[in-house]
Amino acid sequence: MATEPVPGTAHGPDMAKVKAAIRGGTLAYFVDQFDIYLPIVVLAPAMGYFQSASISAATASLISSLVFASTLVARPLGAMVFGHFADTVGRKRTTLVAVAGFGITTLLTACLPGYATLGAWSVGLLIALRFVDGIFLGGEYTTAVPLAMEWSPKHKRGLYASIITSTSPGAYVVIAALTLLLLQVIPSAGPHSAYLQWGWRIPFFIGALLAAGLFRYYQTQVHEPPTEHTGAKHKVPFVRLLVSHPKALTQVFILMTGAWLATNMEAASTPNQLANHVMLSSKQVTLTMLVVNAVAMISYPVYGMLSHRIGRRNFYIGYGIGVTVFGAGSYALMMTSGHGLGAPLGYGVVLGLFTIGTYGPIAAYLTERFPADIRSTGYGVGYSLALIAPAFYVFYQRQLASVVPSHLTPALLIAIAGVLITVGGALGPETKDVDMSLDDAPTTG
């Protein structure tokens, strides 16, 4: 059987370049997600450093959600800006700028003074730096992931995509383990404890070092895809995306809105609910989320290969139904299972399998969904634009609390997320056989 042509040479694949691109995409996604989850996990026990001890629990929860949301809402802006340059200047060079940018902002965050020094300006600076960080992060995956997929052979795109995206729960696991270790060896009780004063800075310094290593790797190891995979250059790829491919963008927007809503419930809302309603300690919450995301990480390659066997469209239709039934159901059971670690941990594993698994084949699907000349822009904007509405999940939960008990509002939002994923998948065409070397991404359906 003939080997499937892969970008690199006229006679066959340049496997060194293929492997370098896949490794680069995997490392880039890991570093990106490591940075994203820093405020959720690392700062959760240390937010007292940035705010007055006299504020109410509701205000403290709102501030924590704004720190996380500020990164998310900035990512679409980064996707538009860096997607433009990725499609007009080149994937590799644009990736380098984005990586340098979020590495510097993460380092600056690690050096922030607290409320005792700056008052309310402290948390304001934290939110501002996370916003700038989000712009560069939105640019990083907009460039690095399409680059990796353009180097990938068609029959392995689902698998390679899932390996890349599995580093998202993997990054959560690493941060949770690191935080758990720090909480174990560094005093964390009280506003003057070592963890609140300086311990939380350690993971941020590590994030900055990871960004520096990623920058060096792309600089020396990763190559631009060949021109037949990146397409002709357009002066304003974002405008072409809006004018020529509005149906594709709308369909991806619906699917990704569901994906991000489910993700925020699993990654951001669950830790708070485990602490405040199930009454788990900080260490138990961190351990639970570590296990949940470790199991989800293992499932990603299974989902990626499944999407290649049954098709991306069928996968998302079916997975969305699973999110609505099993994802929402397991969350409700987790919240009503009583106190103690065992039952919440078990239901949490099911929750992880049926919420964030959407991302298993997503890198392959979104790059297959858009033609070569606007692939980075389409991928980045489609992936990021849907972040905005789900980022304000706290406000939706407050409104829904008049309909269902407050601790069950995330379950209702997960059910809605599953419906959106199913509808988004059904509205799109099948993409797994798209040839990246042709301008034939399906834009109807």
Side-chain angles (χ1 to χ4, degrees), residues 78 82 135 155 180 200 223 230 237 280 288 312 341 356 364 421:
F82 285 90
I135 293 175
H155 69 286
L180 197 61
W200 64 269
H223 299 267
T230 55
L280 298 185
T288 299
R312 318 276 194 241
L341 182 60
I356 58 176
I421 293 168

Side-chain angles (χ1 to χ4, degrees), residues 215-257:
F215 182 93
R216 181 60 179 168
Y217 182 84
Y218 265 85
Q219 187 179 47
T220 60
Q221 301 295 322
V222 179
H223 299 267
E224 288 281 1
T227 55
E228 61 266 25
H229 277 224
T230 55
K233 307 299 183 185
H234 289 270
K235 291 183 178 180
V236 191
F238 179 66
V239 172
R240 184 164 188 269
L241 172 66
L242 295 180
V243 173
S244 301
H245 306 282
K247 290 183 179 179
L249 183 59
T250 300
Q251 176 258 320
V252 166
F253 177 81
I254 294 171
L255 187 149
M256 290 305 304
T257 298

Side-chain angles (χ1 to χ4, degrees), residues 213-348:
L214 177 62
F215 182 93
R216 181 60 179 168
Y217 182 84
Y218 265 85
Q219 187 179 47
T220 60
Q221 301 295 322
V222 179
H223 299 267
E224 288 281 1
T227 55
E228 61 266 25
H229 277 224
T230 55
K233 307 299 183 185
H234 289 270
K235 291 183 178 180
V236 191
F238 179 66
V239 172
R240 184 164 188 269
L241 172 66
L242 295 180
V243 173
S244 301
H245 306 282
K247 290 183 179 179
L249 183 59
T250 300
Q251 176 258 320
V252 166
F253 177 81
I254 294 171
L255 187 149
M256 290 305 304
T257 298
W260 284 116
L261 184 58
T263 298
N264 289 351
M265 293 303 97
E266 186 272 347
S269 183
T270 299
N272 287 331
Q273 293 289 352
L274 288 174
N276 298 326
H277 182 75
V278 186
M279 306 301 292
L280 298 185
S281 68
S282 294
K283 293 178 182 178
Q284 288 175 321
V285 170
T286 304
L287 177 62
T288 299
M289 296 307 296
L290 187 156
V291 174
V292 167
N293 283 276
V295 174
M297 177 181 66
I298 297 171
S299 73
Y300 273 37
V302 176
Y303 290 145
M305 291 185 288
L306 179 63
S307 76
H308 181 74
R309 180 174 292 274
I310 68 174
R312 318 276 194 241
R313 183 174 184 270
N314 289 336
F315 172 81
Y316 283 116
I317 291 172
Y319 189 80
I321 295 172
V323 171
T324 297
V325 176
F326 299 109
S330 61
Y331 197 101
L333 290 170
M334 181 172 63
M335 289 296 111
T336 56
S337 61
H339 303 319
L341 182 60
L345 180 59
Y347 291 126

